[in-house]
Amino acid sequence: MNDQTVNVCGLTRRFGNTLALDHVDLAIESGEFVALLGRSGSGKSTLLRTLAGLDAPTAGSVQVPNERMVVFQEPRLLPWKTAAQNVALGLKGSDAKEQARAALVEVGLEHRLDAYPGTLSGGEAQRTALARALVRDPKLLLLDEPFAALDALTRMRMHVLIESLWKRHRLSVLLITHDVDEAILLADRALVIDRGRLVASIAIDLPRPRDLSQPGFFALRKQLLTAIGVTDVELREPAAKEPQAASDGTVAADSIVMA
């Protein structure tokens, strides 16, 4: 695959008479962060499941590295095992416990090693799931709307974390999301899928770290929403106003999320 982590050609997936993916061509470069946007039922999760090896294509070719991991919207932790035990699950070697501990430290959970999933907050549970994926040193990380169930402040903190981990590990990432602003904040490139076909590929060339007030952010938001076919929201730059700080000093912002 040369410098490409993912190379998909003519990928088609049918479920009976339903065409979920229609001759999809996709390449993701080594170390590239790609976001995939689309309305519900557009084929986002089917594409991710195919890349993860959880679903077989009807036709076409899919080349992905063996070293790949998925983080889903639900953390999917075993409730009878601690955070560290969940991360270490399946690891080989005498240093499995130390690897799990180091991964949890990396995501900021050094104080929750022995905590059970039922005692973790939503953000902590997703950090544990992220540590479980990263401890296996994947070349490709597939994220299936992992922040969708989190509150706004926790989601903002997870954005900062995932960007820092991506930079540190230099792995390729495919993020499935309904949130246009999330795609712009995190990705190098945003793809739009509609009725099983990739209809747009838009480079996100804003400098990092990013925020919603950056010049060019609104233009990219409008471009992506237009590509998705959103016509029932007012696409105009919001009037300038004093940002409202949360109790911990961070500034919250609204995102546009598609149904």
Side-chain angles (χ1 to χ4, degrees):
M1 289 189 291
N2 299 322
D3 291 331
Q4 294 178 346
T5 304
V6 174
N7 193 333
V8 173
C9 294
L11 173 59
T12 299
R13 182 65 171 104
R14 290 182 179 275
F15 296 95
N17 294 325
T18 301
L19 185 60
L21 296 174
D22 186 6
H23 293 87
V24 171
D25 295 328
L26 170 64
I28 299 177
E29 302 296 325
S30 177
E32 186 180 19
F33 198 129
V34 176
L36 181 63
L37 292 155
R39 294 179 181 274
S40 296
S42 60
K44 299 187 304 299
S45 292
T46 301
L47 178 55
L48 179 138
R49 288 177 58 82
T50 303
L51 296 180
L54 301 174
D55 194 21
T58 303
S61 64
V62 178
Q63 297 181 44
V64 290
N66 292 327
E67 304 86 354
R68 62 191 187 275
M69 292 298 297
V70 187
V71 177
F72 295 97
Q73 182 174 338
E74 308 84 12
R76 303 191 179 188
L77 303 176
L78 299 180
W80 58 88
K81 291 186 177 292
T82 65
Q85 289 171 337
N86 268 280
V87 173
L89 190 65
L91 291 180
K92 307 296 183 182
S94 58
D95 62 343
K97 290 184 178 179
E98 178 54 31
Q99 289 185 59
R101 188 199 69 80
L104 285 166
V105 169
E106 189 174 28
V107 298
L109 290 180
E110 60 274 10
H111 60 300
R112 302 292 271 158
L113 300 177
D114 298 322
Y116 286 90
T119 68
L120 299 174
S121 68
E124 289 174 336
Q126 278 296 45
R127 285 172 183 254
T128 303
L130 189 57
R132 182 178 56 192
L134 291 175
V135 76
R136 288 154 176 82
D137 197 23
K139 293 180 179 178
L140 174 64
L141 182 63
L142 302 166
L143 303 175
D144 191 6
E145 301 186 58
F147 316 128
L150 303 178
D151 64 83
L153 183 56
T154 302
R155 188 165 63 247
M156 290 165 65
R157 289 171 171 160
M158 289 296 291
H159 288 169
V160 174
L161 175 64
I162 197 67
E163 184 175 11
S164 68
L165 293 170
W166 164 69
K167 288 179 178 178
R168 190 177 309 149
H169 290 266
R170 298 310 305 169
L171 68 167
S172 301
V173 177
L174 178 64
L175 168 67
I176 307 297
T177 180
H178 281 88
D179 190 329
V180 173
D181 289 349
E182 182 171 85
I184 300 172
L185 287 168
L186 292 175
D188 296 318
R189 182 163 54 107
L191 307 176
V192 176
I193 190 170
D194 182 45
R195 299 177 186 178
R197 298 181 67 94
L198 291 178
V199 297
S201 176
I202 298 172
I204 310 296
D205 56 2
L206 299 178
R208 299 176 184 270
R210 298 170 181 164
D211 63 72
L212 278 68
S213 65
Q214 278 180 285
F217 197 103
F218 176 76
L220 282 167
R221 176 196 281 170
K222 182 175 181 180
Q223 187 178 3
L224 283 168
L225 287 169
T226 300
I228 294 162
V230 175
T231 59
D232 54 352
V233 297
E234 191 172 9
L235 300 181
R236 62 177 180 177
E237 195 156 9
K241 62 180 180 179
E242 188 70 22
Q244 298 299 310
S247 59
D248 66 349
T250 59
V251 177
D254 293 330
S255 296
I256 295 181
V257 181
M258 297 163 295

